[in-house]
């Protein structure tokens, strides 16, 4: 396949993804929306929720599985996943999310992953060969209402935090030129007691690269609008490529 063919395929794929995003968003707004969205999700496209009652320290004892030289994932059983979801998505937090977005959700995907430092020489590679999603991007194909929930487990500002450009600024930023961060850029830091959420199809975002020997660990959930709060029955059996989900 030559470069011209690859260019056409990328264009067609982008168009199909955009059409899917528009159509699926429209259907969700018609059939699943409970109320209109509110600030900060409406303006920023992301939010922060602090919960000092969450205790996820036991997750450190779960042995990680190597995906590549810089990405490790903690394999979880269905029982473990449901236990974590019960801790995180208590009634108060579910109500908080619905009040912000106007939706109830199906929790469709969950992953706990560790990111290591990637040397400069290994960073300039095609998208599909990247160890994890350290370049600015939008998620696709997904609806505009899809929500990702992030819980940093050991991440400070200098330890590779996930960054999110606010919804309005994301419209004017172009992925083929340097993305401009500003005072509204979300920096997801925390040690298991802070929960973040954002719309990854509307906000440009990327995982940070830890410095030196540091390891950045976080939990990610993917939520899609549904007629009631629920857990996808296949959540523990999905075999998607890990690095394409984050």
């Amino acid at each position: 396949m030559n470069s011209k063919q690859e260019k056409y395929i990328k264009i067609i794929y982008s168009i199909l993804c955009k059409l899917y995003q528009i159509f699926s968003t429209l259907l969700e707004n018609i059939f699943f929306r409970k109320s209109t969205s509110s600030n900060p999700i409406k303006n920023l496209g992301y939010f922060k929720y602090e919960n000092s009652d969450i205790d996820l320290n036991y997750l450190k004892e779960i042995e990680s599985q190597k995906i590549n030289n810089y990405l490790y994932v903690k394999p979880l059983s269905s029982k473990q996943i449901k236990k974590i979801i019960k801790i995180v998505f208590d009634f108060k937090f579910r109500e908080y999310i619905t009040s912000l977005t106007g939706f109830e959700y199906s929790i469709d995907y969950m992953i706990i992953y560790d990111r290591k430092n990637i040397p400069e020489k290994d960073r300039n590679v095609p998208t599909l060969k990247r160890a994890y999603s350290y370049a600015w991007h939008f998620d696709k194909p997904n609806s505009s209402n899809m929500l990702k929930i992030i819980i940093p487990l050991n991440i400070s500002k200098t330890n590779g935090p996930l960054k999110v450009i606010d919804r309005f600024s994301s419209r004017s930023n172009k992925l083929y030129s340097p993305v401009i961060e500003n005072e509204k850029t979300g920096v997801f830091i925390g040690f298991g007691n802070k929960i973040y959420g954002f719309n990854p199809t509307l906000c440009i975002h990327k995982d940070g690269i830890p410095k030196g020997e540091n390891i950045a660990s976080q939990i990610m959930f993917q939520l899609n609008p549904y007629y009631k709060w629920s857990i996808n029955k296949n959540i523990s059996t999905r075999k998607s490529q890990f690095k394409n989900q984050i």
Side-chain angles (χ1 to χ4, degrees):
M1 184 182 298
N2 58 44
S3 59
K4 191 173 183 180
Q5 289 175 321
E6 289 181 356
K7 182 179 179 180
Y8 286 142
I9 289 175
K10 287 181 180 179
I11 292 174
I12 293 172
Y13 177 70
S14 295
I15 292 173
L16 290 175
C17 287
K18 193 62 180 180
L19 290 174
Y20 176 83
Q21 180 180 344
I22 293 171
F23 186 64
S24 58
T25 300
L26 177 63
L27 291 178
E28 289 169 353
N29 287 338
I30 293 173
F31 293 106
F32 296 143
R33 181 173 286 283
K34 309 292 183 181
S35 61
T36 57
S37 56
S38 61
N39 296 330
I41 199 75
K42 187 175 182 179
N43 294 329
L44 292 177
Y46 67 87
F47 65 83
K48 179 174 73 172
Y49 180 88
E50 298 198 30
N51 189 343
S52 58
D53 295 330
I54 291 181
D55 183 7
L56 300 170
N57 287 325
Y58 73 94
L59 296 175
K60 298 176 183 178
E61 300 175 4
I62 301 175
E63 187 175 352
S64 296
Q65 171 186 331
K66 183 178 180 179
I67 303 302
N68 56 55
N69 289 335
Y70 312 111
L71 176 66
Y72 289 74
V73 170
K74 293 184 183 295
L76 301 170
S77 66
S78 177
K79 185 176 180 180
Q80 288 172 313
I81 289 174
K82 289 178 180 178
K83 179 180 178 181
I84 295 170
I85 290 176
K86 185 176 181 180
I87 292 173
V88 175
F89 292 91
D90 58 16
F91 177 79
K92 186 177 179 180
F93 185 47
R94 296 197 308 271
E95 288 292 292
Y96 175 78
I97 291 177
T98 300
S99 69
L100 284 181
T101 65
F103 289 102
E104 294 183 349
Y105 293 86
S106 169
I107 303 170
D108 288 337
Y109 190 79
M110 176 189 165
I111 185 173
I112 305 177
Y113 61 104
D114 304 327
R115 291 176 278 114
K116 293 187 175 183
N117 176 267
I118 302 175
E120 291 283 350
K121 63 181 179 64
D122 293 336
R123 298 181 188 180
N124 189 23
V125 296
T127 301
L128 294 179
K129 292 186 177 181
R130 289 171 186 156
Y132 50 82
S133 300
Y134 54 84
W136 293 108
H137 65 285
F138 292 101
D139 282 13
K140 56 186 178 182
N142 298 102
S143 83
S144 298
N145 299 316
M146 191 264 274
L147 194 66
K148 279 191 173 178
I149 301 296
I150 303 292
I151 305 178
L153 297 176
N154 64 345
I155 299 178
S156 62
K157 286 186 177 180
T158 59
N159 190 32
L162 187 152
K163 291 185 177 182
V164 175
I165 302 296
D166 70 277
R167 183 173 176 173
F168 178 78
S169 299
S170 290
R171 296 173 187 168
S172 57
N173 270 291
K174 304 298 181 183
L175 294 179
Y176 52 78
S177 60
V179 171
I180 301 173
E181 298 181 36
N182 56 40
E183 68 279 359
K184 292 184 179 181
T185 299
V187 182
F188 293 4
I189 61 176
F191 297 87
N193 61 334
K194 295 179 181 178
I195 307 174
Y196 299 84
F198 72 106
N199 293 125
T201 56
L202 301 177
C203 297
I204 302 174
H205 59 284
K206 67 173 182 177
D207 265 327
I209 299 176
K211 295 181 179 179
E213 298 299 318
N214 292 327
I215 296 176
S217 303
Q218 65 189 31
I219 306 173
M220 186 276 285
F221 300 90
Q222 180 174 313
L223 279 57
N224 292 294
Y226 200 49
Y227 73 95
K228 67 176 182 178
W229 279 98
S230 61
I231 302 173
N232 190 313
K233 63 180 181 180
N234 296 319
I235 193 168
S236 62
T237 58
R238 290 176 56 178
K239 300 298 182 182
S240 304
Q241 289 290 330
F242 290 120
K243 66 181 180 181
N244 291 335
Q245 295 293 328
I246 51 184

